[in-house]
Amino acid sequence: MVRTKMNREERAKQFMPFAALKGYPEALRKKEKIVVPKAELSEEYQEELNRSLLQVRINDIISVTYFHKNEYLKVTGMVSRIDKSARLLQVVNTKIAFDDIYHISGENIKQYE
């Protein structure tokens, strides 16, 4: 039996990674997410957040840290909507319930101590 020499491309294919379960590594990374309980805010801190919210105007550039689906997220951008009756703040396309806000900062927002 005579073996023919394998060309370089065919040899390289032997060592290429093989994903038997496509998407499995990504699914594992999603499962690794740490679940965080929503923090209970003190009355003083809630009052501070309310004062900060009263300073927010449409078209202001702000950063908001908020609770969403068992984790805290931060979004920075232009305020596109403030709905006091529905208790919603919209930063670009992200709608945030007032009750989920953890921190607000911006150039026009005075921080209280």
Side-chain angles (χ1 to χ4, degrees):
M1 182 164 140
V2 178
R3 271 195 225 181
T4 58
K5 193 171 186 181
M6 199 181 291
N7 68 28
R8 184 175 271 188
E9 287 177 16
E10 291 298 316
R11 279 187 51 164
K13 283 182 185 178
Q14 289 180 342
F15 301 102
M16 289 182 67
F18 174 70
L21 301 171
K22 287 191 179 197
Y24 186 68
E26 184 179 328
L28 279 178
R29 277 192 295 281
K30 286 182 181 178
K31 285 284 188 186
E32 290 173 351
K33 189 185 299 184
I34 298 170
V35 176
V36 179
K38 187 174 181 179
E40 288 292 322
L41 306 178
S42 69
E43 283 188 39
E44 294 94 21
Y45 193 73
Q46 287 177 6
E47 289 173 17
E48 182 180 331
L49 277 176
N50 286 334
R51 285 193 295 266
S52 296
L53 265 171
L54 289 172
Q55 297 175 57
V56 174
R57 302 286 178 251
I58 291 179
N59 296 330
D60 282 356
I61 303 294
I62 64 170
S63 291
V64 181
T65 304
Y66 64 100
F67 188 77
H68 180 70
K69 294 186 179 177
N70 297 323
E71 64 180 334
Y72 281 93
L73 303 173
K74 184 176 183 178
V75 64
T76 300
M78 185 181 291
V79 176
S80 54
R81 182 174 159 219
I82 304 168
D83 189 340
K84 292 180 182 176
S85 61
R87 298 183 49 79
L88 280 176
L89 174 68
Q90 185 170 336
V91 179
V92 188
N93 293 325
T94 305
K95 294 179 182 176
I96 306 165
F98 286 0
D99 294 334
D100 291 336
I101 295 173
Y102 183 74
H103 183 74
I104 301 174
S105 61
E107 196 174 289
N108 299 328
I109 299 173
K110 181 181 172 190
Q111 298 296 317
Y112 298 92
E113 301 210 13

